[in-house]
Amino acid sequence: MKLSSIRIITADIKRLVNFYEQVTGMSFTWYTEDFAELRTAHSTLAIGSTRTLALFGGEKVAAAATNRSVIIEFLVDDVDAAYQRVRNIATEIVQEPTTMPWGNRSLLFRDTDGNLVNYFTPATAAAKERNETGI
């Protein structure tokens, strides 16, 4: 099995896609007015409008802008440089660049729907090795 993508459901897809394009510097591919994806070499961030919920059983399946348990994480080359780029774009900086006990240097912020986003760079030898081996 291989984790393929993470999908965010939003009431304002254009705003959220624009946010992620700004903070990543990458472009999304729009498949319909209600669905877009940001594909990378290792995974995909998909964004769907609340209208897509009808395809999955209705609005009770998911609720936009209510996530309080998932962090969307991006491996970046330099967290401190990324912080300079996103600090005026992010809705809220939750934690400025900090080296975590497990060895990653991490920046935590919120997107326009309030979802947590983590940019991280392995900072210690052990964290760099984990990143290279995928463990």
Side-chain angles (χ1 to χ4, degrees), residues 8-127:
I8 302 171
I9 298 296
T10 182
D12 192 341
I13 190 170
K14 289 180 182 177
R15 181 185 69 182
L16 196 59
V17 166
N18 180 55
F19 172 83
Y20 278 100
E21 286 182 336
Q22 286 184 54
V23 298
T24 65
M26 300 167 69
S27 296
F28 275 68
T29 300
W30 287 86
Y31 295 98
T32 72
E33 66 180 350
D34 292 315
F35 186 78
E37 289 182 333
L38 173 66
R39 291 183 174 260
T40 71
H42 300 286
S43 62
T44 299
L45 176 60
I47 300 180
S49 80
T50 51
R51 289 185 294 271
T52 64
L53 293 176
L55 302 170
F56 295 104
E59 292 184 14
K60 292 183 180 181
V61 172
T66 60
N67 172 38
R68 290 293 186 226
S69 63
V70 174
I71 301 173
I72 301 154
E73 298 190 307
F74 292 90
L75 173 65
V76 297
D77 291 333
D78 182 341
V79 164
D80 295 285
Y83 171 65
Q84 295 306 315
R85 188 177 66 251
V86 304
R87 67 184 184 158
N88 294 320
I89 301 169
T91 303
E92 173 189 354
I93 299 295
V94 176
Q95 182 178 45
E96 293 182 2
T98 303
T99 302
M100 306 307 281
W102 47 90
N104 290 337
R105 188 144 174 85
S106 180
L107 162 66
L108 195 63
F109 58 96
R110 292 195 186 277
D111 69 18
T112 55
D113 274 9
N115 299 302
L116 285 170
V117 179
N118 180 38
Y119 277 9
F120 73 96
T121 302
T124 65

